[in-house]
Amino acid sequence: MRWKVGTLTRSEDRALPASISDVLSGSVPEGRKVRIRGWLSNRRSSGGVVFLIMRDGTGWLQCVARRDVLGDKKLDELEKLPIESVLELEGSVRADKRAPGGYELSIDRYRILSVAWPDYPIAKKYHGPDFLLEKRHLWIRSKKMWCILIVRSKLLKAARSWLDEHGYVEVQAPILTASACEGGATLFPVDYFGRKAYLTQSWQLYGEAFIASVGKCYTLAPSFRAEKSRTRRHLTEYWHLEVEIPFCDLKCLLKVIDEFITHICHELADKAAEELRTLGRDPADLARVEPPFPRLKYDEAVEMLQAEGVQIEWGEDLTWTCEKVLASEFDVPFFVTHFPKTAKAFYHKPDPERPEVTLSADLLAPEGYGEIIGGGERIDDYETLLARIREEGLDPADYEWYLDLRKYGSIQHSGFGLGVERMVMWVCKLDHIRDAIAFPRLVRRRSSWSTTMMPMAYALVRS
Ligand code: ATP
Ligand code: MN
């Protein structure tokens, strides 16, 4: 709410600037005159009344223009005004059960702030995904994308608030890096003044350096993966929320993830219920999430999969097909732990009781969504780490600084990385990861390269 109650101005008579969310929250007294500004996103007319569906970033509101109030000329003008034009409307608010959102604005006065061209390319009819990717800069105005962007924002807010309340320090590390973290095959090379650098795949190795300075810490940053597999859940640029925790073993890590994810789910069920419902997700699905999440060892997962007839040998990583099968058996997130060494990156700590498996854990989202978090204990012993780097055919010289961390005050530590779009995809019940982010970077045909790369191309033209 923006206005002050009980001031000595005569504001009662004047229309007060309000956002649509102010109106929809019921905080504007019935009959109160307000002024809103926004885009005309839809319109219909019936017998001397024009219904304008207005959008201002905070919500969507039905505004009603009546011929007997505004007169013929003005009503005709509103009837013809192109969709996406911008209006300032003054009127009084009233509760109306038939109106979407339960409130309606009766328009007394209006001012046109911007007249849109009459050929807005997105109509109410069905458009294919390629067309909507090409018109992404406009499609983000749709109710669906708006809901997703709002949920995404609330998700990140909930994540940050949990981390802040639990004493985690937010830090940043370079995006341009010299060495691989998750394996060379998915690296994006960049020419760095005649030498080769790479776009980061993960903040993790830096995170391990940070813990000896600031302790428990996290970052929220883009990670880049030149994924050749064109699945519905891989972007080439995605937002990665990574956490690193000193003095923490696998058991402690699972507990942190339990509580962290539960907090986010509960916050969304509470604070984004309307948006979730619009997207087809029942907020109760998220309210139901409670720690501890079910834990499944990799061995058990393989047995389950083989029993279902899925082709998998012990030692292989779980493909999406595998995860989908496993994730269909659960209706809450669950862990798969103790992956074999062969399925994980070099820094994962071998289980001292069974060195062929690692103290690792992935968190899988239910309903077939699959992995949203990857994490585990890191190797803290210098010799073990050096041996694993060599075993993977990596050059220890590239990891000199990382090895240093095992020389000077090395301790048991664990961490995890959450794929923000993977989590958004699950909570919003999306069928493709491209809609979990405003401007997705995908492995795509060249024909749509220029449009899916729109903001970047623009930056190049300007410079
Ligand atoms: P996957 O097997 O699904 O490709 P990964 O094992 O490569 O994932 P990690 O290296 O553990 O993933 O990265 C941590 C998290 O980052 C994953 O759990 C996932 O949520 C997210 N992630 C990884 N790759 C991508 C991608 N290409 N697009 C979007 N999110 C990703
Ligand atoms: Mn991957």
Side-chain angles (χ1 to χ4, degrees), residues 295-302 335-338 351 354:
R295 283 126 162 90
L296 192 69
K297 287 213 162 106
Y298 171 88
D299 293 359
E300 298 167 86
V302 169
F335 287 108
V336 179
T337 66
H338 299 85
D351 185 346
R354 218 184 133 200

Side-chain angles (χ1 to χ4, degrees), residues 180-447:
C181 179
E182 291 301 320
T186 62
L187 280 173
F188 274 115
V190 177
D191 174 50
Y192 194 75
F193 307 109
R195 288 167 65 179
K196 216 179 224 176
Y198 302 96
L199 297 179
T200 188
Q201 295 171 305
S202 164
W203 158 91
Q204 183 203 314
L205 305 191
Y206 288 101
E208 291 179 66
F210 275 118
I211 54 170
S213 168
V214 297
K216 299 194 282 190
C217 56
Y218 73 99
T219 203
L220 174 60
S223 278
F224 300 83
R225 310 266 172 115
E227 308 273 6
K228 274 142 214 140
S229 58
R230 295 171 36 171
T231 76
R232 290 168 171 274
R233 52 172 209 166
H234 285 96
L235 294 161
T236 55
E237 175 181 326
Y238 71 96
W239 284 79
H240 206 172
L241 197 157
E242 294 184 85
V243 175
E244 203 63 33
I245 316 163
F247 310 108
C248 180
D249 61 8
L250 181 62
K251 200 170 145 217
C252 146
L253 181 73
L254 298 188
K255 197 155 173 280
V256 168
I257 297 174
D258 274 340
E259 287 173 13
F260 176 64
I261 294 296
T262 301
H263 173 79
I264 298 175
C265 289
H266 290 183
E267 281 291 292
L268 290 179
D270 184 30
K271 306 216 164 84
E274 223 18 72
E275 292 86 350
L276 290 170
R277 266 189 221 110
T278 305
L279 291 165
R281 159 68 67 201
D282 182 354
D285 297 344
L286 303 180
R288 188 176 56 227
V289 170
E290 284 296 343
F293 302 153
R295 283 126 162 90
L296 192 69
K297 287 213 162 106
Y298 171 88
D299 293 359
E300 298 167 86
V302 169
E303 276 169 29
M304 274 173 70
L305 288 165
Q306 286 171 343
E308 301 253 359
V310 179
Q311 285 290 323
I312 180 169
E313 292 297 321
W314 194 95
E316 290 171 3
D317 198 5
L318 301 180
T319 59
W320 187 25
T321 320
C322 297
E323 286 183 12
K324 231 165 112 178
V325 173
L326 289 175
S328 315
E329 313 255 322
F330 291 86
D331 64 357
V332 289
F334 63 101
F335 287 108
V336 179
T337 66
H338 299 85
F339 282 82
K341 224 167 63 170
T342 44
K344 286 286 172 193
F346 70 94
Y347 50 74
H348 283 278
K349 186 166 166 174
D351 185 346
E353 280 161 25
R354 218 184 133 200
E356 70 275 19
V357 302
T358 56
L359 298 172
S360 52
D362 284 359
L363 185 71
L364 277 66
E367 305 159 7
Y369 279 99
E371 181 181 342
I372 59 172
I373 281 181
E377 251 186 78
R378 326 301 195 187
I379 297 173
D380 47 62
D381 173 62
Y382 179 90
E383 297 299 339
T384 316
L385 183 60
L386 184 62
R388 277 296 284 137
I389 288 175
R390 292 213 169 103
E391 197 180 351
E392 292 291 314
L394 301 167
D395 183 358
D398 288 340
Y399 296 91
E400 205 182 313
W401 70 268
Y402 186 63
L403 281 157
D404 257 6
L405 303 176
R406 276 68 187 173
K407 294 184 191 166
Y408 310 112
S410 185
I411 37 91
Q412 188 171 44
H413 63 291
S414 301
F416 70 89
L418 167 72
V420 172
E421 291 76 15
R422 293 270 180 96
M423 174 122 184
V424 170
M425 193 181 164
W426 162 51
V427 299
C428 292
K429 237 179 163 164
L430 306 178
D431 56 16
H432 199 296
I433 198 168
R434 66 177 166 233
D435 288 333
I437 185 166
F439 296 102
R441 295 289 180 258
L442 301 156
V443 190
R444 291 186 60 79
R445 309 188 306 270
R446 262 196 72 87
S447 63

